[in-house]
């Protein structure tokens, strides 16, 4: 087991955590943050930590990794029914999308695979603010804050997108372990949510199921800084009788990377055999 016990500096906590969590910030822009990487790998059956390095206890915006808990919520609420229903049409007058794969009829499997933001927002709108907040609180996800950006009343559509909701790698793994064990909301909803998570081939014969998330950190003035990328890859990996749960986070560095989640995914897939031991 590898554990990084370094104390992280105040500048890291302000640059990576404070803006997302809504803590007071200095008026001037913060200096570029040194690139940080956090990796947590845990045995699903025993909870034994196999690898833990980087700021695993620090909370960041979940970005599109929130589609995993949102799938669980959607199935438990009856808004989602199975892997391919409901299928909703993309409506340019209502939905915002930039990629071709988002601008078409989308079902739950497509939603997770193509990371379709407007489909997430359809689910949260149908839940409504009160039910949405109650579900996030009930599953104990991260800081449970779905208020959205201050003064904008946009929590239903933006809370998980570099806004108020924040979660640490430690919390991501704890959530996933409970999901896979069927101990959140209902066993049926847990199973259906897990079934639609994309799968990839990892090194050493590992089959890896996971969701990426890409975004940006905030500067000292609380504004999105597109030169400071935030990338996640969270999920689980199977090989024979073994199942491991993981979270990989990459943040900062001063180099724009709009696909930071994919960068994190590529690294984890390459390293999974070594990390698993």
């Amino acid at each position: 087991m590898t554990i990084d016990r370094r104390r992280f500096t105040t500048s890291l906590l302000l640059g990576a955590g404070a803006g997302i969590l809504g803590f007071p910030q200095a008026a001037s822009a913060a200096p570029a943050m040194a690139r940080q990487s956090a990796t947590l790998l845990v045995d699903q059956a025993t909870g034994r930590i196999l690898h833990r390095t980087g700021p695993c206890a620090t909370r960041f915006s979940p970005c599109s990794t929130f589609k995993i808990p949102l799938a669980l919520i959607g199935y438990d609420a009856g808004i989602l029914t199975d892997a391919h229903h409901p299928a909703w049409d993309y409506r340019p007058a209502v939905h915002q999308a930039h990629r071709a794969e988002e601008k078409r009829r989308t079902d739950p499997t497509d939603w997770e695979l193509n990371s379709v933001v407007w489909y997430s927002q359809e689910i949260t709108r149908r839940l409504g603010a009160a039910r949405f907040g109650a579900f996030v609180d009930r599953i104990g996800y991260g800081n449970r804050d779905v208020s959205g950006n201050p003064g904008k009343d946009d929590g239903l559509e933006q809370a998980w997108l570099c806004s108020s909701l924040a979660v640490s790698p430690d919390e991501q793994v704890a959530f996933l372990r409970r999901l896979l064990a069927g101990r959140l909301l209902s066993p049926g909803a847990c199973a259906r949510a897990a079934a639609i998570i994309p799968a990839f081939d990892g090194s050493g014969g590992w089959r890896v199921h996971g969701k990426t998330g890409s975004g940006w950190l905030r500067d000292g003035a609380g504004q999105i800084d597109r030169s400071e990328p935030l990338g996640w890859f969270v999920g689980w990996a199977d090989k024979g009788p073994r199942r491991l749960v993981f979270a990989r986070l990459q943040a900062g560095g001063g180099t724009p990377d709009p696909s930071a989640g994919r960068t994190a995914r590529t690294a984890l897939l390459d390293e999974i055999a070594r990390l698993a031991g």
Side-chain angles (χ1 to χ4, degrees), residues 38-261:
T39 304
L40 177 61
L41 199 71
V42 174
D43 182 87
Q44 168 65 9
T46 66
R48 184 168 69 94
I49 296 174
L50 304 174
H51 183 94
R52 187 177 188 272
T53 54
C56 289
T58 302
R59 286 172 169 165
F60 298 81
S61 170
C63 303
S64 283
T65 67
F66 185 65
K67 288 182 174 67
I68 302 179
L70 188 54
L72 169 68
I73 292 168
Y75 281 118
D76 192 74
I79 295 171
L80 307 180
T81 55
D82 60 32
H84 298 292
H85 297 91
W88 294 324
D89 289 320
Y90 169 69
R91 294 178 291 162
V94 177
H95 304 136
Q96 292 186 352
H98 303 287
R99 296 172 293 131
E101 56 267 34
E102 296 177 290
K103 298 179 180 180
R104 61 193 185 200
R105 190 170 178 83
T106 298
D107 66 23
T109 299
D110 298 326
W111 166 51
E112 295 283 4
L113 179 63
N114 296 316
S115 207
V116 180
V117 173
W118 66 257
Y119 196 96
S120 300
Q121 294 168 337
E122 280 290 336
I123 295 172
T124 56
R125 289 187 194 113
R126 290 166 195 245
L127 285 166
R131 289 180 76 202
F132 179 43
F135 267 117
V136 172
D137 187 63
R138 185 176 168 191
I139 65 176
Y141 187 81
N143 67 352
R144 310 183 188 193
D145 185 351
V146 293
S147 60
N149 295 296
K152 294 189 177 181
D153 191 28
D154 60 0
L156 272 178
E157 298 184 348
Q158 299 293 321
W160 62 96
L161 299 173
C162 303
S163 183
S164 60
L165 189 63
V167 65
S168 69
D170 286 337
E171 291 168 327
Q172 293 267 36
V173 166
F175 165 80
L176 288 166
R177 290 192 67 220
R178 293 171 66 202
L179 175 79
L180 294 171
R183 296 200 302 263
L184 287 166
L185 301 181
S186 68
C190 287
R192 288 191 290 274
I196 61 172
I197 304 307
F200 309 88
D201 290 327
S203 60
W206 285 89
R207 187 64 170 165
V208 181
H209 303 256
K211 185 71 194 74
T212 58
S214 299
W216 299 272
L217 304 179
R218 290 182 181 270
D219 63 19
Q223 301 301 309
I224 294 292
D225 185 347
R226 294 180 184 272
S227 70
E228 299 289 359
L230 170 63
W232 286 99
F233 185 49
V234 305
W236 63 95
D238 296 320
K239 183 179 180 182
R242 297 183 69 192
R243 169 166 284 184
L244 313 177
V245 184
F246 66 84
R248 163 61 65 90
L249 170 82
Q250 296 179 181
T255 302
D257 184 0
S259 298

